[in-house]
Amino acid sequence: MRHNQRDVPSGRINVSVQSVRRKKIAIACQGGGTHVAFTWGALTSILRAKQRWDADGGTSFDLVSLSGTSAGALCALATWYGLAPNGSDPDCGTVDKAVERLDHLWTVFAATNPAETLHNLAGQVLLRWKAAGVALPESSPYAAAGRLGLLGLGSVGARPEYLGFQGLLASLCPDFDSVDWKLLAQNNVRVIAGAIEVLSGNFETFDSDKTLEELGLKPPPERDQYGATRWRMRRALSLDGVAASGTLPELLPAQPIENLEFPTADEGTTIRRTGYYWDGLYSQNPPVRDLLDTETCDDKPDEIWVVRINPQEYSPTSLRVGLEEIRDRENDLAGNLSLNQELDHILTVNRWIDKYGNDAPPLTDRKTVVVRTIKMSRDSAWTLDHASKLDRSPRHLAALRAEGTELTERWLADWRAAGDGFPRYPADARYT
């Protein structure tokens, strides 16, 4: 659809009546450590392209939702926070603010001062030694040594944004409590972060639509999640929830979130307790089916663009047999498992609609949804490794961002030119 740009500040969300229907786009951001700096570049290109295309009056799109896991959830949150109207920050609600928040996220997350640079370098050296077979001592993230180490880093100059999610998210979303949910509900841009609750094994999402429902600004779903979907919980969006999505159990204690409701073995009854969360890699990487869980069929996205970080395919000539390399490939496969299952279900529903139509149950609330993939170059995907996933050096992050920017700009130009003939999943998840 073409927005009427009159009297609308540059880059600001426009809710005016539109003359030609535009595609609704959802973006799903995979996690993958610092390799997700590629998504930094990809999302920046998408936002800037939308801004240009809205202005030039040609083919454009509406960004309706974002989802993410781990560092992908951080990128999704940064984008959403910039696009969401905010009572304390008039710059929010614009593409420019979304791009600025993405830049801020990766700038403050990087190792920038001497203490952080030395810590990052030492970590890379130890990871390389470990990959080479050097026996190194390991410790639990619950051990006192880890907490003392963080205190020591802070005492020599490491910033709170570098040391943990609490400082990072407070810096990224300083006015989170002032998000204008009423205005957001009028032209909703949704964000979803995925995590796993350790004790129950629940696949859980922290969802801005759930926040709107709890505020009475959006009708709740008909089904009761504590009975009908006992292993899949939706929670209101929170910074703690996004932190939960990135809590790697090898490095960090489980993220606690107090006073949450959980179903029990007795149907219809619930309990309240503290939830304990690990990285969303163990549930959905990233959430996809939730992007289709909307109030009406028309609200569903027409296309889902998956920013894939974990390569589906692996070079047979570079197959390595070291234990760390095996674990890294296991991580890739685990990260893609739930994603591919959810994407393949979408393709199955598409085939049903193509064969039977959607005029009768159970397909009346379904629509054909196209899935497309944005991914790294083959050389990058097949040469990056476990150690580089934890590298926070500015040079490493900048190189990944540059690749994400360049590849996505070409991808978008081809998408705009080719229309429905543009490549789609699953073929576009492969390397030639």
Side-chain angles (χ1 to χ4, degrees), residues 128-363:
R128 300 294 178 192
W129 284 357
K130 190 174 181 181
V134 177
L136 297 172
E138 296 188 21
S139 63
S140 166
Y142 297 89
R147 294 192 294 271
L148 291 174
L150 290 177
L151 289 174
L153 270 176
S155 68
V156 295
R159 296 163 297 120
E161 297 93 331
Y162 180 84
L163 294 174
F165 284 121
Q166 184 176 6
L168 178 65
L169 291 170
S171 176
L172 178 63
C173 306
D175 297 307
F176 183 82
D177 292 337
S178 298
V179 169
D180 191 334
W181 293 99
K182 288 184 178 180
L183 186 57
L184 183 69
Q186 298 174 21
N187 190 38
N188 189 18
V189 178
R190 184 183 187 186
V191 67
I192 305 168
I196 190 82
E197 205 282 319
V198 181
L199 303 185
S200 64
N202 287 347
F203 285 23
E204 303 214 0
T205 57
F206 296 87
D207 185 351
S208 61
D209 267 13
K210 180 68 171 178
T211 305
L212 292 173
E213 292 165 14
E214 292 186 353
L215 292 172
L217 299 172
K218 191 177 182 71
E222 294 180 1
R223 62 184 181 276
D224 170 25
Q225 70 172 356
Y226 302 110
T229 56
R230 296 171 67 82
W231 309 114
R232 307 181 74 95
M233 296 289 115
R234 292 173 66 231
R235 312 288 186 187
L237 180 66
S238 67
L239 298 186
D240 283 343
V242 177
S245 183
T247 300
L248 289 170
E250 301 91 345
L251 300 178
L252 298 168
Q255 172 72 33
I257 303 180
E258 296 180 350
N259 196 31
L260 296 180
E261 191 171 5
F262 290 88
T264 72
D266 297 321
E267 189 169 351
T269 64
T270 61
I271 60 169
R272 286 194 170 270
R273 63 169 174 84
T274 298
Y276 295 93
Y277 291 89
W278 279 350
D279 194 292
L281 167 70
Y282 302 100
S283 57
Q284 299 166 279
N285 189 22
V288 173
R289 62 181 290 170
D290 305 83
L291 296 170
L292 303 177
D293 188 9
T294 59
E295 184 179 351
T296 68
C297 187
D298 189 58
D299 291 332
K300 298 182 191 298
D302 300 301
E303 296 191 7
I304 297 175
W305 296 349
V306 178
V307 185
R308 188 182 287 268
I309 302 301
N310 301 309
Q312 175 65 31
E313 298 174 321
Y314 195 62
S315 169
T317 60
S318 63
L319 185 61
R320 299 172 290 248
V321 294
L323 186 57
E324 293 306 308
E325 286 83 8
I326 292 171
R327 287 174 175 169
D328 188 45
R329 186 55 180 158
E330 285 178 343
N331 182 270
D332 289 341
L333 298 174
N336 287 336
L337 177 62
S338 63
L339 171 63
N340 290 342
Q341 289 176 332
E342 294 193 359
L343 297 182
D344 290 346
H345 177 70
I346 292 173
L347 299 190
T348 298
V349 173
N350 288 348
R351 289 193 295 270
W352 290 344
I353 293 174
D354 185 56
K355 185 174 182 178
Y356 303 111
N358 60 351
D359 296 327
L363 298 176

Side-chain angles (χ1 to χ4, degrees), residues 352-403:
W352 290 344
I353 293 174
D354 185 56
K355 185 174 182 178
Y356 303 111
N358 60 351
D359 296 327
L363 298 176
T364 49
D365 61 345
R366 305 289 181 177
K367 67 186 284 187
T368 299
V369 177
V370 173
V371 178
R372 306 193 195 275
T373 308
I374 300 172
K375 62 184 186 298
M376 295 179 183
S377 68
R378 185 181 64 181
D379 288 345
S380 292
W382 288 357
T383 55
L384 293 169
D385 57 16
H386 175 68
S388 63
K389 285 181 179 176
L390 299 175
D391 184 1
R392 294 166 69 173
S393 65
R395 175 184 290 186
H396 174 64
L397 303 181
L400 286 164
R401 180 202 185 193
E403 178 167 322

